[in-house]
Amino acid sequence: MSDQKQVRPQRLSAQLDAVRHADRRQILFALRDTERWQPSASDFDSDGSLIGAPAIPAALYHQHLPMLAEMGLIEWDRETHWVTRGPEYQRLRPLLAFLSEYHDE
């Protein structure tokens, strides 16, 4: 039983890390209602450089998408930028539902 107590906070901590940044939340929210999604520069507030075609903000390419993919929350094609739900996405749904209630506040 004590092993489960140690695992749970790590999972919660990882989930909170995943939704901490607005761009990561936007990616995860976009996948709630669709199986496949392709981000574009117009989806994000970005003053930085853009990468690829379709163009996406460099921070998404270098930081946010790889982080979410490493966590298993998404699967991401680096060439086309198509994003699908990863094997761990379902575990995040309750937190996303909670956050969506207060998203505009």
Side-chain angles (χ1 to χ4, degrees), residues 22-74:
D23 288 347
R24 290 194 297 268
R25 284 193 306 274
Q26 186 165 346
I27 293 163
L28 295 166
F29 281 142
L31 290 172
R32 284 182 305 176
D33 302 321
T34 187
E35 293 289 323
R36 190 173 163 205
W37 177 70
Q38 189 178 45
S40 69
S42 62
D43 294 329
F44 299 88
D45 294 330
S46 175
D47 295 332
S49 61
L50 301 175
I51 293 178
I56 63 170
L60 253 64
Y61 185 87
H62 291 296
Q63 182 182 8
H64 303 304
L65 290 167
M67 177 186 179
L68 294 174
E70 185 177 312
M71 296 174 79
L73 295 171
I74 66 166

Side-chain angles (χ1 to χ4, degrees), residues 2 4-5 15 17 36 55 62 81 85-86:
S2 63
Q4 286 181 343
K5 288 181 183 176
Q15 288 181 355
D17 284 345
R36 190 173 163 205
H62 291 296
H81 303 306
R85 293 180 207 142

Side-chain angles (χ1 to χ4, degrees), residues 12 25 33 58 76-77 102:
L12 178 59
R25 284 193 306 274
D33 302 321
W76 168 49
D77 183 319
Y102 302 100

